[in-house]
Amino acid sequence: MEYIAHTKQTLEEHLWGVAELAKIHTEKIGMGNYGELLGLLHDYGKYSAEFQKYITDALKKDDPQFNPDEDEDFEDPAGKKGKIDHSTAGAQFLSCKNGSSDAHKILGQLLSLCLVSHHSGLINCLTTDNNGTWDAYSKRLSKNDNKTHREECAGKIDTHILERINAILADKSFTKPFEEKCRDIVCASPETNPLSTIAQFQLGLLVRFLFSALIDADRQDTADSEKPKTARHRLQGKYMSWSKLIERLENKYKTFETKNRVDEIRKDISMHCLHAAQRQQGLFTLTVPTGGGKTLASLRFALHHAKEHGMDRIIYVIPFTSIIDQNAQVVREILEPKERPEDTGKIVLEHHSNIGADVQSWKEKLLTENWDAPIVFTTMVQLLEALFGAGTRGARRMHQLAKAVIVFDEIQTLPIKCVHLFNNAINFLVNHCGSTVVLCTATQPLLGAVDEKKGTLKLSEENELMPDVGKLFVDLKRVHVHDYRKSSGWTYPEIAALAVDQVETNGSCLVVVNIKKVARLIFEEAKRDGLEIFHLSTGMCPAHRKQALKAIRQRLYDKKPILCISTQLIEAGVDVDFRSVIRMLAGLDSIAQAAGRCNRHGSPEIGNVFVVNPTEEKLDYLKDIAVGIEKSNRVLDDYKSDPSKYDSDRIGPKMLEWYYQNYFYQQKDEMAFKAAAKECGRDDTLLSLLSNNTLALVREDLKMNFLRQSFMTAAKLFKSIDAPTRSVIVKYDKEGKELVGQLCSAFEVEKQYALIKKAQQYSVNLYPHEFEKLKKQNALYSVQAGTEIFYLDNQYYSKITGISL
């Protein structure tokens, strides 16, 4: 009998196809046999008569010629999808084949977890709920044969597949790659104990890696069988050579002119990155003051390093969606030049979560699903979702992080609560997956100085790509930071007056504040003086911000008087050059980033940065900023007593290190990602849930389990950002109005890819409370009934300051 897996695919074809792909994915970490085995066993349960009845009835129903009244055996498959268990039988088969050694048993559990989870996301080993803690993994594997059909399937499986499964399991060296990986993991842990927090966390990541390899192979093989024409557009790792991409970048470098001292330093930074590319794979930092040309210098390192070591891809991780398109565009213009239209969309892939990000062209979606491109630009949120998020969509991409050069831009923006999860994941990728990681910033957080037993990065001077960071900061010093704090604080009219005075004295001034409301208040105060004044915040849509920035840059270039009031979004790599900057008190790292917008191109006349403390500022929902302010006050006070201790530089490396020591020490208890009792049955952390899960070991019998992670519970609790935002489209300018009109009249709006893509430039992200407030005021409209795409009433959007509640 020929057994069916999907609409257009036999079960035998599907199992071989998934096995082949999963083997390729897992061979990257030396575990090809495990990937192949997972592929051959994942749909073992589909050999059952119950599943075959369901699939054949589904095929009949899809046939336009079929008449259900003429087939008395027909049962409507509606409602059965996902209800027939075909995932457990393969895991049960495997558990019966486990050898007597501990290695066999533990490896069997790792592989079985992947098999039973391939439609749900990784299940819990131990689960805690209102009824206490129980062994969820063993319960799943002891599921009744009436529901899993293991015995029935054993008599029906295709002979050649069973022979290959048995051959893999019979290999005397079957457990050797696993034993070696376990040994490496335990030896690299601070406590050489396989049950320690770090060792168990790394083993959990190994499970997720194998799981990722399986579900990507399964989803790809299924999709390609259903749409073989689409499958031809997959790149499948067959990318343009690194040599060709290097040639394009190096040709671009030849066109750069050296006009001043800063250009000389940028050139020097880039050359150091080029030479460092020959180093062995590992963990690196690139500590360069803002305006030092980190983006292209790190790309130069990544391309040459990828070629030197035969790496699969380069992944750029950007902190904010607001700057991902500008960074990707810079690289795209170099590596996908206009004179090579055939390369468009095949080299640089963007993946983020702006409005309609899931509504992509089918070609783009094809590559985004599993980051199938040589250079990927994504966000910190997406990367953390791939490592820790719920379900299968994000997890599917995790295996692509192996044999990759991963560049983190502005690493200081990493959420505090994710520090230990992040550190352990980076150590796993670098130590056990053959990846290279580069942490880029002007203000390196102390990720190597946190609790070693919970997860720290092994950072030393050898990790730094620049030979003398201290000298670099001195050479690139373009500003003087003035501590203008006063005991009574500054009122908003006083800050506005200082800004106006700086414009009159120096020609241009930028004011950077912490919250949107304050930006509007200072803007209103300052505009009374009749100056050319601009406002920037995330309350403005990208098209609006781009237009404002274009006008700002032009006035700066023309040396015309200008004042700009902005939220901290301008600190995230925006290339502007003001003569003066006023920074409202924040973390010292933010003050340093703001200083990077002052005298950016190194005029001989030094720029001035003024740090002011407001009399009032509501930071109830911005805990990280509040802590940053508290610690900045402390280190700025320290500086007053002995400036020479900090090389007389308020934003130099020594001062920033002292700031981070204070900042990180205060929040050390937050770094393991706390979880409350109402969320997981007890007060705990995600670090614990994803490692040895000690608080779940309430009974002696539970301690018998080697793997104890609560994978699914942790994944559901994991949120890399606290408040998920909702996007709304605004009718900014003529194009925004026309866009809304087109979306409202479009046929099947979800398929209008070009319109949705354009809508990203005319959308604003709102926090849930902002979204609900506007909804209650009837200020939001759905573009079409039943869609989740909203646009804003025009009365709630200002052409100057953007959205208003």
Side-chain angles (χ1 to χ4, degrees):
M1 179 177 169
E2 191 171 70
Y3 298 94
I4 303 167
H6 304 107
T7 313
K8 298 179 180 177
Q9 194 178 32
T10 67
L11 186 49
E12 185 176 16
E13 287 170 342
H14 180 56
L15 296 180
W16 284 123
V18 176
E20 183 182 354
L21 287 171
K23 183 175 184 178
I24 292 168
H25 299 335
T26 49
E27 273 178 341
K28 291 190 284 189
I29 60 167
M31 293 186 166
N33 272 0
Y34 304 155
E36 184 180 3
L37 186 62
L38 288 170
L40 294 173
L41 280 170
H42 80 288
D43 277 354
Y44 180 86
K46 286 188 175 180
Y47 283 104
S48 72
E50 185 183 15
F51 184 86
Q52 290 301 310
K53 176 80 172 71
Y54 156 71
I55 195 76
T56 50
D57 283 341
L59 290 173
K60 288 176 185 176
K61 190 176 180 181
D62 289 341
D63 184 350
Q65 307 296 320
F66 175 66
N67 183 351
D69 297 331
E70 294 175 0
D71 187 341
E72 61 184 36
D73 291 332
F74 176 77
E75 293 176 23
D76 193 337
K80 289 186 180 180
K81 189 172 183 179
K83 300 287 174 64
I84 300 169
D85 183 351
H86 64 269
S87 304
T88 309
Q92 290 178 328
F93 172 92
L94 195 60
S95 67
C96 292
K97 298 280 185 177
N98 276 347
S100 56
S101 71
D102 286 343
H104 261 104
K105 290 172 186 172
I106 298 165
L107 176 57
Q109 185 178 356
L110 254 79
L111 299 175
S112 295
L113 274 166
C114 298
L115 292 171
V116 298
S117 305
H118 79 272
H119 281 287
S120 62
L122 280 173
I123 67 164
N124 290 334
C125 298
L126 300 182
T127 289
T128 303
D129 58 20
N130 295 332
N131 300 315
T133 302
W134 42 283
D135 182 347
Y137 167 74
S138 297
K139 184 179 179 183
R140 178 67 180 268
L141 256 70
S142 61
K143 197 171 178 180
N144 195 292
D145 192 62
N146 292 335
K147 293 182 177 177
T148 68
H149 309 289
R150 180 181 67 83
E151 288 292 338
E152 178 194 349
C153 295
K156 293 180 174 179
I157 188 171
D158 289 281
T159 308
H160 295 306
I161 287 178
L162 184 61
E163 286 173 355
R164 181 58 190 150
I165 291 169
N166 286 332
I168 293 171
L169 292 170
D171 188 333
K172 290 180 181 177
S173 62
F174 174 63
T175 63
K176 188 179 178 183
F178 173 65
E179 290 178 72
E180 288 176 352
K181 190 67 74 177
C182 283
R183 198 174 298 116
D184 291 345
I185 284 171
V186 173
C187 289
S189 302
E191 303 169 89
T192 51
N193 172 7
L195 293 174
S196 71
T197 298
I198 303 296
Q200 283 292 307
F201 193 95
Q202 302 279 10
L203 284 166
L205 285 170
L206 179 61
V207 174
R208 191 166 172 103
F209 187 95
L210 295 171
F211 174 64
S212 170
L214 171 62
I215 56 176
D216 186 33
D218 183 26
R219 304 301 186 265
Q220 184 181 322
D221 186 73
T222 302
D224 291 354
S225 74
E226 292 174 357
K227 296 180 180 177
K229 288 183 180 177
T230 301
R232 291 201 294 269
H233 292 275
R234 288 189 193 278
L235 300 180
Q236 293 282 34
K238 298 179 179 71
Y239 308 142
M240 182 177 288
S241 72
W242 293 124
S243 297
K244 190 69 181 173
L245 296 178
I246 286 168
E247 183 185 334
R248 290 180 181 179
L249 178 65
E250 294 302 330
N251 286 338
K252 182 68 176 178
Y253 264 105
K254 288 173 187 173
T255 68
F256 292 160
E257 294 179 29
T258 306
K259 299 174 187 173
N260 53 38
R261 181 176 61 92
V262 172
D263 287 343
E264 283 284 358
I265 294 169
R266 287 172 182 159
K267 184 178 176 182
D268 187 54
I269 290 166
S270 181
M271 288 304 295
H272 281 297
C273 286
L274 172 62
H275 296 144
Q278 306 304 310
R279 296 192 200 179
Q280 288 302 307
Q281 291 144 277
L283 173 62
F284 300 102
T285 55
L286 177 57
T287 311
V288 172
T290 52
K294 288 189 295 292
T295 301
L296 288 186
S298 60
L299 177 66
R300 200 177 198 184
F301 169 86
L303 285 171
H304 285 274
H305 191 75
K307 180 190 174 188
E308 176 72 16
H309 298 290
M311 314 286 266
D312 289 351
R313 65 185 42 76
I314 296 166
I315 299 174
Y316 264 89
V317 185
I318 311 290
F320 310 113
T321 55
S322 59
I323 58 166
I324 192 170
D325 53 352
Q326 75 176 30
N327 289 34
Q329 189 58 29
V330 168
V331 175
R332 186 178 283 116
E333 286 172 1
I334 298 170
L335 301 183
E336 294 181 7
K338 288 178 182 175
E339 61 269 21
R340 297 284 183 182
E342 68 274 16
D343 295 338
T344 302
K346 292 183 180 177
I347 295 168
V348 179
L349 180 72
E350 283 179 66
H351 179 219
H352 44 72
S353 56
N354 283 336
I355 186 169
D358 292 331
V359 188
Q360 300 165 304
S361 74
W362 62 267
K363 282 186 184 178
E364 204 171 11
K365 192 169 186 180
L366 204 68
L367 306 181
T368 302
E369 284 171 341
N370 63 351
W371 289 345
D372 183 13
I375 297 176
V376 178
F377 275 82
T378 191
T379 59
M380 181 66 86
V381 171
Q382 294 292 349
L383 180 111
L384 293 172
E385 284 290 333
L387 291 163
F388 306 114
T392 59
R393 190 165 65 172
R396 178 180 176 180
R397 304 179 182 108
M398 184 194 168
H399 71 92
Q400 300 287 42
L401 297 170
K403 283 185 69 181
V405 185
I406 309 169
V407 180
F408 289 90
D409 193 23
E410 309 293 1
I411 187 60
Q412 80 283 354
T413 60
L414 174 74
I416 279 286
K417 64 182 178 180
C418 296
V419 164
H420 288 308
L421 302 188
F422 176 83
N423 285 353
N424 287 315
I426 295 305
N427 287 334
F428 177 75
L429 294 171
V430 170
N431 296 333
H432 310 299
C433 299
S435 294
T436 284
V437 168
V438 184
L439 307 178
C440 291
T441 181
T443 53
Q444 288 286 353
L446 300 181
L447 298 177
V450 293
D451 190 338
E452 188 183 27
K453 291 182 180 179
K454 292 181 180 178
T456 185
L457 294 183
K458 292 180 173 65
L459 292 170
S460 67
E461 287 183 11
E462 286 73 49
N463 297 88
E464 178 57 51
L465 298 183
M466 298 309 299
D468 190 341
V469 172
K471 182 176 182 298
L472 185 60
F473 271 75
V474 172
D475 291 345
L476 262 178
K477 186 170 181 180
R478 297 155 295 176
V479 301
H480 183 67
V481 178
H482 304 271
D483 182 357
Y484 262 40
R485 294 173 302 150
K486 53 185 182 180
S487 56
S488 59
W490 288 70
T491 65
Y492 299 139
E494 285 175 331
I495 295 170
L498 176 63
V500 171
D501 179 62
Q502 283 302 307
V503 176
E504 290 171 352
T505 306
N506 296 307
S508 65
C509 180
L510 168 68
V511 181
V512 185
V513 303
N514 296 319
I515 46 183
K516 286 183 282 190
K517 185 178 178 182
V518 172
R520 285 197 298 272
L521 289 169
I522 295 176
F523 177 87
E524 293 297 332
E525 283 290 340
K527 76 177 184 180
R528 295 172 187 167
D529 284 83
L531 281 171
E532 187 71 23
I533 180 167
F534 290 85
H535 172 280
L536 284 173
S537 81
T538 52
M540 300 156 67
C541 68
H544 190 174
R545 292 202 301 266
K546 282 179 183 174
Q547 204 169 62
L549 275 166
K550 185 179 179 182
I552 289 166
R553 288 189 180 111
Q554 189 60 51
R555 284 193 74 86
L556 288 168
Y557 182 79
D558 294 338
K559 294 188 167 44
K560 291 181 179 177
I562 180 174
L563 173 59
C564 177
I565 317 295
S566 176
T567 57
Q568 59 264 44
L569 74 86
I570 203 164
E571 295 169 353
V574 179
D575 188 5
V576 285
D577 186 5
F578 286 85
R579 291 304 309 153
S580 298
V581 169
I582 298 168
R583 183 53 168 104
M584 201 167 282
L585 190 62
L588 201 66
D589 56 331
S590 293
I591 294 168
Q593 293 292 337
R597 312 311 124 196
C598 182
N599 193 18
R600 190 172 178 84
H601 301 304
S603 164
E605 188 182 344
I606 201 147
N608 291 292
V609 177
F610 303 91
V611 179
V612 298
N613 54 326
T615 52
E616 57 170 326
E617 194 175 24
K618 291 185 178 178
L619 299 172
D620 303 348
Y621 298 106
L622 300 167
K623 187 188 172 189
D624 283 356
I625 292 177
V627 174
I629 289 171
E630 181 195 337
K631 298 308 166 193
S632 286
N633 274 321
R634 177 175 177 182
V635 298
L636 287 169
D637 288 344
D638 284 350
Y639 180 92
K640 281 181 184 176
S641 60
D642 185 4
S644 63
K645 196 165 106 179
Y646 303 103
D647 296 335
S648 298
D649 187 353
R650 287 188 175 90
I651 54 170
K654 289 184 180 177
M655 188 74 165
L656 282 161
E657 184 174 349
W658 179 225
Y659 163 76
Y660 272 123
Q661 282 176 8
N662 283 275
Y663 182 71
F664 269 41
Y665 181 78
Q666 161 117 3
Q667 301 196 85
K668 65 181 189 293
D669 295 333
E670 304 292 325
M671 295 179 183
F673 206 124
K674 288 182 176 178
K678 64 180 181 181
E679 298 170 320
C680 61
R682 61 188 176 274
D683 288 333
D684 210 335
T685 66
L686 262 63
L687 178 66
S688 172
L689 290 169
L690 289 170
S691 57
N692 42 22
N693 217 351
T694 50
L695 295 182
L697 302 178
V698 291
R699 302 194 312 270
E700 283 300 313
D701 61 309
L702 296 176
K703 295 178 184 177
M704 301 298 290
N705 290 30
F706 184 75
L707 290 175
R708 304 159 178 175
Q709 291 87 345
S710 295
F711 289 114
M712 187 167 280
T713 300
K716 287 177 180 175
L717 292 174
F718 178 78
K719 295 184 184 72
S720 50
I721 47 176
D722 281 324
T725 55
R726 296 282 300 270
S727 289
V728 297
I729 304 167
V730 297
K731 293 182 182 180
Y732 172 70
D733 230 354
K734 183 184 173 187
E735 288 82 3
K737 288 171 187 168
E738 287 177 356
L739 174 67
V740 169
Q742 290 168 329
L743 283 166
C744 289
S745 59
F747 175 70
E748 288 191 90
V749 70
E750 283 83 357
K751 295 183 180 178
Q752 299 300 319
Y753 163 71
L755 291 179
I756 297 291
K757 190 85 172 173
K758 193 176 178 184
Q760 293 181 6
Q761 293 302 308
Y762 293 89
S763 64
V764 176
N765 291 330
L766 299 174
Y767 289 110
H769 71 276
E770 294 174 318
F771 187 88
E772 290 305 319
K773 186 172 182 180
L774 287 169
K775 206 169 184 183
K776 283 177 184 173
Q777 295 175 83
N778 297 317
L780 297 177
Y781 309 96
S782 177
V783 295
Q784 286 182 23
T787 71
E788 285 295 304
I789 301 172
F790 294 90
Y791 68 94
L792 182 71
D793 188 313
N794 219 24
Q795 297 176 81
Y796 289 80
Y797 195 84
S798 159
K799 286 187 178 180
I800 299 170
T801 57
I803 212 158
S804 168
L805 301 181

